Amino acid sequence: MKRILVTGGAGFIGSHLCERLLAEGNEVICVDNFYTGSKKNIEHLLDHHYFELIRHDITFPLYLEIDRIYNLACPASPIHYQRDPVFTIKTSVHGAINMLGLAKRTKARILQASTSEVYGNPQVHPQPESYWGHVNPIGTRACYDEGKRAAETLFFDYHRQHNVDIRVGRIFNTFGPRMAEDDGRVISNFIVQALRNVPITIYGDGSHTRSFCYVNDMVDGLIKMMNQEEIIGPVNIGNPDEISIKQLAEEIVRLTQSQSKIVYESLPSDDPMRRKPDVSLAQDKLAWKVNNHRLSGLRNTIDYFVKVLG
Ligand code: NAD
Ligand code: UDP
């Protein structure tokens, strides 16, 4: 049994991760300030003997005795991370410094939940880990993109300078149950709009692409990344099955048998035009592969939102 700290554990991916780590027989300490996360996401875990919840903001130091840290705390959807950009970059940078300091003192292994956003609006497609990215450092997404890039720098510097045992996973667009209804991300937006039979809002002309990974596969990838000894990263984790936003909208309308019409709104600034992970490293070094097709994941997510929306 390991004592594992999950920051951002009351969020979408974090809550699934806490659940899985408990099921695998670990003790889990979930730290969250509930900025975007919710007690609902973890309420089924509160009675678990080996689960502990601490309300804490990781931009402040934290003193615990732990064996492992998954650092997921950070608002992740554009509307949330742009609401208070200074807080977002502080969470990535000060949060990383605090969690790396904790890892250094306790000699815990620490995994950073990095992001495909480090590639910005990529000029290389699909994106391998060796690509340095194409990020606007002063744009409206920079608080998130550059914060995550700086966090990666901190991880590698703590590793080189202080010998901290790091892992860095670059997460690509992930979806599934427990995404927040008002999250603003494309899959939750489209499903909620479709179920309410209100217009589906495509930003831009819908020809831009993303590659969506079901949350169970993501959690699998993060745990495999943490538990192996061969590579510290960065390693891309995501589903390479690329789809245009227009095709995604049509797919969700079909699956929900919705009456919604598609409407087009302007594309937010710096919105990446294409994104698809090169997952060769994850396949070779982590023995990780996608197990859930987007369609089955969408069905589960639709079932979840049917319940949430009553
Ligand atoms: P989420 O918003 O659901 O979860 C983030 C959690 O962090 C929330 O519970 C929030 O309350 C908490 N949090 C935010 N700032 C905090 C702070 N200063 N102190 C303590 N807690 C704080 O988002 P998610 O989709 O679950 O994302 C989890 C992680 O994965 C994030 O680091 C995100 O950048 C990364 N990621 C997610 C995706 C995706 O598609 N979901 C893609 C790339 C990277
Ligand atoms: N998007 C959209 N309509 C929405 C929400 C998002 O067309 O209601 C677009 C968004 O502009 C982006 C893509 O869908 O091009 C994915 O957006 P999301 O916020 O989910 O992820 P990210 O842009 O961070 O990859």
Side-chain angles (χ1 to χ4, degrees), residues 9 15-16 18-20 22 39-48 51 178:
S15 63
H16 288 275
C18 289
E19 200 174 277
R20 184 87 69 88
L22 283 170
K39 282 191 188 152
K40 270 212 168 66
N41 289 340
I42 43 153
E43 69 183 345
H44 60 297
L45 305 178
L46 291 175
D47 287 337
H48 196 294
F51 182 75
R178 301 200 200 119

Side-chain angles (χ1 to χ4, degrees), residues 78 81 117 141 173 184-187 189-190 193 201-203 208 210 212 245 267-268 271-272 275:
Y81 69 63
E117 293 279 329
R141 292 174 85 101
N173 295 65
R185 277 182 277 199
V186 68
I187 289 196
N189 266 13
F190 285 1
Q193 290 163 341
T201 52
I202 290 186
Y203 306 153
H208 51 306
R210 292 291 186 274
F212 295 99
I245 298 300
L267 193 66
D271 201 295
R275 187 183 287 152

Side-chain angles (χ1 to χ4, degrees), residues 228-247:
Q228 52 76 41
E229 307 296 325
E230 206 182 333
I231 184 169
I232 61 173
V235 173
N236 290 338
I237 309 174
N239 186 339
D241 185 8
E242 186 181 7
I243 184 174
S244 78
I245 298 300
K246 182 157 190 281
Q247 284 171 308

Side-chain angles (χ1 to χ4, degrees), residues 7-14 31-38 41 56-59 71-77 80 87 91 112-117 144 148 170-175 178-180 183 185:
T7 76
F12 157 53
I13 300 177
V31 161
D32 207 295
N33 68 348
F34 301 108
Y35 186 71
T36 52
S38 152
N41 289 340
H56 174 80
D57 181 333
I58 62 155
T59 61
N71 187 36
L72 271 67
C74 187
S77 105
H80 290 309
F87 170 75
T91 293
Q112 168 67 355
S114 191
T115 170
S116 54
E117 293 279 329
Y144 182 72
K148 289 283 189 179
R170 289 185 179 155
I171 300 177
F172 281 65
N173 295 65
T174 302
F175 74 101
R178 301 200 200 119
M179 293 182 92
D183 190 66
R185 277 182 277 199

Side-chain angles (χ1 to χ4, degrees), residues 258-295:
S258 172
Q259 305 300 311
S260 294
K261 296 274 171 289
I262 291 176
V263 297
Y264 293 87
E265 297 182 0
S266 55
L267 193 66
S269 62
D270 296 334
D271 201 295
M273 293 313 289
R274 297 189 77 184
R275 187 183 287 152
K276 170 179 171 166
D278 177 335
V279 288
S280 337
L281 256 187
Q283 285 167 348
D284 294 352
K285 305 286 183 192
L286 314 184
W288 173 84
K289 63 175 175 35
V290 169
N291 282 316
N292 295 277
H293 190 272
R294 184 183 60 249
L295 279 175

